[in-house]
Amino acid sequence: MQDTLAHRIQQLNPLALAHVGDSVFDLYVRSALVLEGDKTAHALHKAAVALVNAAAQAQAARRMLPLLTEEEAAIFRRGRNAGGTHVPIHASGEDYHLATGLEAVCGYLYLSHQMERLEALLGQAVLFVHDQPKEALL
């Protein structure tokens, strides 16, 4: 049964994986910010917007590529190359495609119930965006 689910998830359109991964990434960042301490709703929103955008996700993706497994790297490439034509106004095409690749990996890991791996990668992504030294999370 699990093999069938994994196969079905691998066959999903990479933009569908990115659709789920976008929400997963956003929820992880927002949760981490809330758990950091008492902040106003406005401060939480500003911090989340700084981390959940194409440029920040692309920065994280560039640094995370060497950490991905072969399977994750294949999902990343499919997401990056998925050819979505709509690029947000405040993002370059390159950043948008790299961010989509990262989101596809997040969506894939979430849907395939690889939560420990997902949390390790998301934690690493936030560290990379904050430009902190790499911790031994993986």
Side-chain angles (χ1 to χ4, degrees), residues 14-15 18-19 22 53-59 61-62 76 79-104:
L15 293 178
H19 176 74
D22 177 53
N53 63 66
Q57 289 175 322
Q59 176 186 350
R62 285 183 189 96
F76 175 85
R80 181 195 62 202
N81 298 335
T85 57
H86 170 73
V87 176
I89 294 170
H90 300 292
S92 72
E94 179 185 4
D95 282 354
Y96 176 74
H97 291 291
L98 287 168
T100 302
L102 177 62
E103 291 170 349

